[in-house]
Amino acid sequence: MSFMDNHIQKPWAVTQSEVLTETNTSESGLSEDAVRIRQKDGLNELAAKPPKTTLQMIKEQIIDPMIMILLGAAFFSALFHEYTEAIIIAMIVVINTIIGIVQEKKAQSSLAALRDMSAPMAHVIRAGKEQLIPAKELVVGDIVNLHDGDMVPADMRLLESANLKIQEASLTGESVPVEKDADAVLAKDCSLGDRINMAFSSSIVTYGRGLGVITATGMNTEMGAIAGMLDDQTEIETPLKRKLTSVGKVLTIIGIFVCILVFIIGAMYQKPLLPQYSKGNSILVSW
């Protein structure tokens, strides 16, 4: 059986013996050789792209078409000695850039917080012996003991549960700890909050004890799915954002057209250039 995906499909819908068969393991745990082979698939940790630098964030903010138009307006205002207008426009650009950077840094902080929630150590049974190892070294098929106060190190199908309750607020938003039942076999379409025979990565054992087999590690865990969405959020363009971008482009084109029209009318009536520029610039910025 291949473990290249680092997870087992719908483990909550099978019995304990079936999930052990699917993961090619037993309650005595994996052998060291099996662990070495499976560790080639990657560590049990949340992956991430290198965080953007502040300069990269500033660049992304400035290359926005609307911002470039404002910068152009500020430049020409300064060129015509309209320093007050230039300063005001520049301040608008700076404030907009700061807000954008702050929002992006908050998203990065949220992702970092998710990574920090990963359990640092785990009680794993390998070759019949319990060991305390770094959680990032866990693989699919590892047998893990859970005790009161433990952080669940990866997604697992419970094999045993004794008065086991787990706090899953970070995943489901449910403030009350969930009572687990290892003997339950659930429907394949069972919702996340109802999977009482599962323990999920980064959730907290609040009472009792349990024994489980790892069914998903790293980015294939439920917590990994959340981390992936946070990591990709700057690349996702929602319908609303697309609509606003489209409207912004249309308004910009109209604004430029009106600005040019003001210049043409002013030239036809032989008006001084500077007042006409000021009027056109004001129209463009306010538009």
Side-chain angles (χ1 to χ4, degrees):
M1 182 175 182
S2 172
F3 293 91
M4 290 303 290
D5 289 335
N6 275 16
H7 71 291
I8 301 299
Q9 296 289 340
K10 304 185 186 302
W12 57 88
V14 297
T15 64
Q16 294 102 315
S17 59
E18 287 172 332
V19 78
L20 288 173
T21 300
E22 285 192 37
T23 53
N24 282 348
T25 189
S26 67
E27 290 194 22
S28 61
L30 297 169
S31 66
E32 292 302 324
D33 288 339
V35 170
R36 278 194 293 272
I37 292 172
R38 299 184 190 196
Q39 281 180 338
K40 293 178 182 178
D41 295 340
L43 295 174
N44 174 38
E45 57 186 6
L46 300 182
K49 297 178 292 186
K52 293 177 184 176
T53 65
T54 303
L55 286 177
Q56 288 174 322
M57 294 180 188
I58 292 173
K59 179 183 176 182
E60 288 184 358
Q61 294 293 324
I62 291 176
I63 61 175
D64 181 271
M66 294 292 291
I67 298 300
M68 293 183 73
I69 289 172
L70 287 174
L71 288 173
F75 172 77
F76 283 108
S77 292
L79 194 65
F80 285 98
H81 306 292
E82 295 289 333
Y83 298 116
T84 302
E85 283 188 13
I87 291 171
I88 292 173
I89 295 171
M91 286 178 63
I92 292 171
V93 172
V94 170
I95 292 170
N96 179 80
T97 302
I98 291 173
I99 291 172
I101 291 172
V102 169
Q103 289 177 335
E104 191 155 357
K105 283 188 176 292
K106 281 184 178 179
Q108 289 184 353
S109 298
S110 298
L111 184 57
L114 284 178
R115 293 194 190 95
D116 291 341
M117 289 175 66
S118 299
M121 303 296 287
H123 297 272
V124 63
I125 298 173
R126 288 179 176 170
K129 297 180 181 179
E130 183 169 339
Q131 310 171 35
L132 186 63
I133 67 169
K136 67 180 182 180
E137 295 178 6
L138 291 173
V139 297
V140 171
D142 264 330
I143 306 298
V144 174
N145 264 317
L146 296 175
H147 305 92
D148 185 10
D150 285 352
M151 180 177 285
V152 181
D155 287 1
M156 62 178 72
R157 169 64 162 90
L158 294 170
L159 303 175
E160 299 175 7
S161 58
N163 301 316
L164 182 63
K165 293 183 180 181
I166 298 179
Q167 175 61 264
E168 298 177 345
S170 59
L171 278 173
T172 64
E174 178 60 54
S175 59
V176 179
V178 179
E179 187 169 354
K180 297 295 182 177
D181 181 4
D183 295 325
V185 178
L186 308 172
K188 289 184 178 181
D189 60 353
C190 182
S191 64
L192 181 65
D194 294 328
R195 296 172 194 170
I196 58 174
N197 58 5
M198 297 287 295
F200 298 107
S201 176
S202 299
S203 55
I204 306 293
V205 178
T206 59
Y207 191 79
R209 61 179 181 81
L211 181 74
V213 56
I214 301 296
T215 56
T217 60
M219 294 300 289
N220 289 300
T221 63
E222 296 295 338
M223 187 59 72
I226 296 174
M229 287 188 289
L230 282 173
D231 205 25
D232 293 338
Q233 72 166 358
T234 54
E235 299 174 5
I236 297 173
E237 193 171 278
T238 63
L240 177 60
K241 185 177 179 181
R242 285 196 296 269
K243 189 69 175 178
L244 289 174
T245 301
S246 177
V247 171
K249 288 179 180 178
V250 171
L251 291 177
T252 300
I253 292 171
I254 294 173
I256 292 173
F257 174 76
V258 172
C259 184
I260 294 172
L261 189 62
V262 168
F263 270 99
I264 293 173
I265 294 173
M268 289 174 60
Y269 287 93
Q270 298 181 340
K271 298 289 184 179
L273 180 60
L274 183 57
Q276 296 309 307
Y277 165 76
S278 297
K279 290 179 182 178
N281 196 37
S282 298
I283 292 171
L284 181 59
V285 172
S286 63
W287 202 275

